[in-house]
Amino acid sequence: MTSDTGTELEALHSIAQDIFLQALDACDIGKAFDRHLHFEDTSLIRHPSTAMKPVSVPLGSYKKVFIISFGKAAMTMLNALLERLPKKIHVRGVCSAPETPKKRNWRIRYFTGGHPLPNEESFEAAEAALKLLRRAKKDTFIFFLISGGGSAMLELPRNPKISLEDTIAFHETLIASGATITEINTVRKYFSAVKGGRLALAAPEAEKLSLVLADVPLKDLGAVASSPTLPDQSTFEECRAILTRYRLLEKFPAAVREYFESLPPEVAAETHNANAEKAIAHTQFDTLLSNHDFVNAARDRAQQLGFRVVIDNTCDDWDYADASRYLLKRFHELRAEHPRLCLLSSGEVTVELGAQPGCGGRNQQFALASAFDLAKYEGQPLVVLSAGSDGIDGNSPAAGSIADTTTIARARAYHFDPESSLARFNTCPLFSALGDTIITGPTGNNLRDLRILLATRS
């Protein structure tokens, strides 16, 4: 590698990180709140979209206002709402977030929910939320603040005989199965007392507004946190097909396996009856931010930097290795036409974990798989970044990492075996040693992942 190529690669590393961080900054949750709602005295004015007229909600006319906030962005969303609520409006609420704040609002019960696996406080938060919601009547208005990660941070089995230990094993098995997030959440809906619309069902007469950060494709909004406030559109036949496709029943703990095997076909009826229809009739739903906002912000920044930008989300929910092969093939075809290219791909890839995975996550797994392809183009300025908007990649402290045409050679020079690191899902130590991890810390946001492929040539 010449010194000129090394300089170009360093520049592309910096540019890729700049695009990622600028996209994160553009998706500020407070700004999203201001685009979608504001308050006039004690009235809530909603702006669902630019194509619709604002909707006024006389919040001051309700005797009670509840807030249920859960997911990776629960704290950020809760604080944004509390900062904007009129002082005259007194609230009670439950918040289940990755961590509890140093300064607490005494009207809110805070829980540190587990992720990616539920913990004891996930159970406690779900019980507290259901208890509060059952107090809601016609004189109550409820804000649901929902973000990705909520499936684990607010959880309670429908069958009270299923223990926390079994619930953790259930979630762990689903995550490691290689199933898509939509498939995983379909199964979760039939397991949980708070998913598949059951939070809304707990307060059927109250007026409800769900404000959502979508960590799923917009066509699958019902999959955010496993659809706690929307009617379940899935069928039990679909759930059974997923259980069979990934041979999940045999991997579940005995109590969970017995629960699914004993479920009657009409199990979904409870979320489709008259009571459910009443609950949903009193529910409004706004998407504050989505993965589309994230990738479009990255596009805008890359265009400012003079790149020809192409967005290709075809491989959303694909296996990481298949996604890497597909995107790199497209990347090489496009860069032959465009001397300054940025290929963007949003969404998530899947990883089927082995028995004893190491330290890493799907983004670093994707980046290392891509590094083997890039190694064939030594001397050329090519870079691949893959990172998560939540700042967390699997069980690692990184959001993701960057690979280039020298990654494999540098890893071997540091006495790493890249093939073994990939096979053992132990990618974070390798990228950390190379100084190529993306470290943001938890961002308080969750808009899925972003892959940035950059190429320049004279």
Side-chain angles (χ1 to χ4, degrees):
M1 181 176 68
T2 66
S3 59
D4 286 345
T5 303
T7 301
E8 287 178 304
L9 280 176
E10 288 179 9
L12 281 185
H13 274 244
S14 296
I15 290 169
Q17 290 195 63
D18 174 82
I19 293 170
F20 177 72
L21 294 175
Q22 290 285 344
L24 270 181
D25 185 63
C27 293
D28 179 80
I29 290 174
K31 294 175 184 175
F33 264 86
D34 292 334
R35 287 194 296 271
H36 284 264
L37 58 86
H38 74 276
F39 294 91
E40 294 179 0
D41 193 22
T42 59
S43 289
L44 166 65
I45 312 299
R46 291 177 50 223
H47 311 272
S49 74
T50 55
M52 299 175 63
K53 292 182 179 180
V55 179
S56 179
V57 180
L59 212 57
S61 66
Y62 290 90
K63 289 184 180 179
K64 300 174 186 175
V65 176
F66 295 161
I67 302 174
I68 309 294
S69 186
F70 55 101
K72 291 182 183 178
M75 195 69 65
T76 315
M77 296 179 77
L78 174 64
N79 290 339
L81 179 59
L82 291 176
E83 287 168 5
R84 288 158 177 78
L85 271 175
K87 302 260 188 240
K88 299 175 184 177
I89 303 296
H90 299 292
V91 302
R92 292 289 186 274
V94 171
C95 177
S96 185
E99 56 186 16
T100 52
K102 293 178 181 178
K103 185 178 181 181
R104 301 188 182 202
N105 185 309
W106 67 270
R107 295 184 175 91
I108 308 295
R109 292 189 64 188
Y110 294 92
F111 299 88
T112 305
H115 189 273
L117 303 175
N119 60 12
E120 188 172 345
E121 292 199 39
S122 301
F123 274 33
E124 293 172 357
E127 290 168 344
L130 289 171
K131 183 177 179 180
L132 184 64
L133 291 171
R134 287 167 185 148
R135 290 168 45 194
K137 305 299 180 186
K138 291 181 179 179
D139 62 358
T140 309
F141 189 92
I142 304 168
F143 288 98
F144 290 105
L145 310 180
I146 306 169
S147 55
S151 291
M153 292 183 191
L154 194 83
E155 177 62 299
L156 195 66
R158 290 179 70 238
N159 186 341
K161 295 180 180 179
I162 295 177
S163 68
L164 172 61
E165 183 179 15
D166 286 341
T167 302
I168 291 172
F170 164 72
H171 278 258
E172 194 169 32
T173 301
L174 284 175
I175 292 168
S177 67
T180 68
I181 187 61
T182 299
E183 290 173 326
I184 288 171
N185 285 350
T186 294
V187 176
R188 284 170 169 165
K189 291 174 190 177
Y190 289 91
F191 174 85
S192 176
V194 294
K195 299 175 173 58
R198 294 187 178 91
L199 272 190
L201 281 174
E205 297 181 333
E207 291 296 325
K208 297 171 282 288
L209 173 61
S210 293
L211 300 174
V212 177
L213 294 191
D215 69 331
V216 298
L218 288 179
K219 64 183 177 63
D220 295 325
L221 276 179
V224 179
S226 306
S227 188
T229 61
L230 283 178
D232 185 7
Q233 300 300 326
S234 68
T235 65
F236 189 50
E237 287 71 24
E238 290 171 340
C239 177
R240 283 191 184 278
I242 295 165
L243 294 174
T244 302
R245 184 177 309 132
Y246 297 97
R247 302 177 64 183
L248 289 168
L249 285 178
E250 64 193 62
K251 301 172 186 175
F252 286 157
V256 176
R257 182 170 61 252
E258 290 168 8
Y259 164 75
F260 276 103
E261 288 175 341
S262 66
L263 281 179
E266 62 272 16
V267 65
E270 66 187 66
T271 58
H272 294 283
N273 59 26
N275 200 39
E277 291 176 6
K278 183 197 300 183
I280 301 307
H282 291 280
T283 300
Q284 302 300 316
F285 194 92
D286 280 354
T287 303
L288 293 180
L289 286 167
S290 75
N291 185 243
H292 288 281
D293 298 296
F294 189 35
V295 72
N296 288 344
R299 174 202 62 197
D300 294 345
R301 179 57 178 164
Q303 288 177 340
Q304 288 174 0
L305 296 172
F307 286 88
R308 171 62 184 270
V309 180
V310 175
I311 298 175
D312 189 334
N313 299 331
T314 303
C315 56
D316 186 21
D317 277 337
W318 286 18
D319 174 79
Y320 77 92
D322 294 336
S324 175
R325 283 190 289 270
Y326 170 81
L327 283 176
L328 283 160
K329 182 176 183 296
R330 186 90 201 277
F331 178 59
H332 294 313
E333 292 169 351
L334 288 166
R335 70 185 182 87
E337 303 173 25
H338 307 292
R340 194 168 172 83
L341 173 71
C342 174
L343 175 60
L344 297 174
S345 178
S346 64
E348 296 176 358
V349 296
T350 63
V351 176
E352 185 173 354
L353 297 176
Q356 294 181 313
C359 180
R362 60 179 176 254
N363 286 292
Q364 290 164 94
Q365 195 77 5
F366 174 89
L368 186 54
S370 300
F372 285 100
D373 177 276
L374 295 179
K376 302 171 188 174
Y377 301 90
E378 184 179 356
Q380 298 186 42
L382 309 174
V383 159
V384 172
L385 178 151
S386 185
S389 58
D390 59 359
I392 303 166
D393 189 31
N395 63 357
S396 79
S401 59
I402 302 179
D404 61 40
T405 52
T406 70
T407 296
I408 299 300
R410 287 187 289 131
R412 296 195 198 284
Y414 276 78
H415 306 293
F416 281 93
D417 180 348
E419 290 85 358
S420 175
S421 295
L422 192 71
R424 294 187 296 111
F425 310 99
N426 193 36
T427 50
C428 190
L430 182 153
F431 281 114
S432 296
L434 300 182
D436 289 339
T437 51
I438 307 296
I439 305 291
T440 63
T443 63
N445 208 331
N446 191 20
L447 300 173
R448 312 191 84 201
D449 301 338
L450 182 64
R451 291 166 289 281
I452 303 171
L453 292 77
L454 297 178
T456 58
R457 60 180 167 84
S458 302

